[in-house]
Amino acid sequence: MEDVKEYNKEEFSIQPDSLLNFIKFRRTIRQFENKPVEKEKISKIIEAARFTQTGSNMQDVSYTVVTEGIQELKALTLKSLKKIGEYMLANLTPQTMAYKRYAELWLKMYEEYLENPNFNDKLFFNAPALVIVTANSVVDGALASSNMELMTNALGLGTFFSGFFVRAAQDNKEILDFLGVKEGKQVVTCMVIGYPKVKYMRTVPRKDADIAWK
Ligand SMILES: Cc1cc2nc3c(=O)[nH]c(=O)nc-3n(C[C@H](O)[C@H](O)[C@H](O)COP(=O)(O)O)c2cc1C
């Protein structure tokens, strides 16, 4: 019960336009300062996830924070992507043709990594921290991740979601063991986090919303 807070209007409300602007202003960050992320900030990001709703109140979302182990995880991930890329290139179909460029990129990333492990990091972009979200329900994990992203930005940090990592982790025992993924859970997102080295001065245009009003 120590988690439970009494309602207080000032502390518990946010102006709709401020919220919308905050969401509009969020951008993917791939350039990071060479500076660690404080443990308290990571804990606060996870706190935003912990209070996110889950289907049937399952509270089935777990987190692996990787800082010290990034190099080891990067090696496992690039090895996995290389294997997936090779398989894709050897089994191209008209349906998978659109992914050919990713397969080629993954092979190139692996070659570059072997030449110089710290140069041109197109996987984690030399970020100091990762939070990998696993869950029984993908929807629960994704909802939690979205709130984590908002908190990351509110704390002055930057992040991007690594779909490459999620792909590499699928059915990869070495990566799943490294992360300590529990039985029945799957890797939903990988948040790559650090202090941003870039500052955006405007929002981006987006496609119109595809809405049906009935
Ligand atoms: C599910 C998901 C997976 C993504 N995977 C990657 C990735 O592996 N590498 C990367 O550099 N960016 C990745 N991104 C970032 C997107 O490319 C980015 O969000 C998109 O281009 C829009 O840019 P913005 O976030 O700045 O608005 C991913 C984003 C999402 C939502």
Side-chain angles (χ1 to χ4, degrees), residues 23-30 81 102 106 122-125 149 159-166 188-190 192 200 204-206:
I23 291 168
K24 284 185 177 179
F25 204 61
R26 176 224 59 86
R27 294 296 308 280
T28 280
I29 299 295
R30 298 188 185 90
L81 288 177
Y102 286 120
W106 294 339
K122 289 258 175 289
L123 181 67
F124 298 142
F125 294 84
E149 188 189 30
T159 188
F160 75 93
F161 286 108
S162 176
F164 286 2
F165 176 81
V166 174
V188 180
T189 61
C190 167
V192 182
Y200 289 98
V204 274
R206 293 284 197 220

Side-chain angles (χ1 to χ4, degrees), residues 92-199:
L92 277 177
T93 63
Q95 288 76 34
T96 59
M97 208 57 184
Y99 300 104
K100 184 170 174 262
R101 67 186 176 105
Y102 286 120
E104 287 167 349
L105 174 64
W106 294 339
L107 263 55
K108 188 165 170 261
M109 281 163 65
Y110 186 73
E111 288 306 318
E112 285 184 354
Y113 172 78
L114 291 184
E115 274 168 37
N116 183 348
N118 295 312
F119 180 70
N120 198 19
D121 179 5
K122 289 258 175 289
L123 181 67
F124 298 142
F125 294 84
N126 297 313
L130 312 174
V131 182
I132 291 131
V133 175
T134 62
N136 296 72
S137 150
V138 171
V139 174
D140 291 347
L143 288 171
S145 301
S146 194
N147 279 343
M148 290 167 79
E149 188 189 30
L150 292 177
M151 181 55 81
T152 304
N153 288 305
L155 290 166
L157 293 160
T159 188
F160 75 93
F161 286 108
S162 176
F164 286 2
F165 176 81
V166 174
R167 181 68 190 89
Q170 269 168 18
D171 305 319
N172 185 296
K173 191 172 174 339
E174 269 186 300
I175 295 178
L176 298 177
D177 285 349
F178 178 92
L179 299 175
V181 176
K182 300 189 182 78
E183 190 69 29
K185 298 207 179 204
Q186 52 184 313
V187 175
V188 180
T189 61
C190 167
M191 288 184 70
V192 182
I193 304 174
Y195 281 91
K197 220 180 191 172
V198 284
K199 191 167 170 57

Side-chain angles (χ1 to χ4, degrees), residues 56-69:
S56 303
N57 200 19
M58 288 272 284
Q59 303 185 46
D60 58 315
V61 186
S62 302
Y63 317 89
T64 305
V65 180
V66 186
T67 51
E68 301 290 312

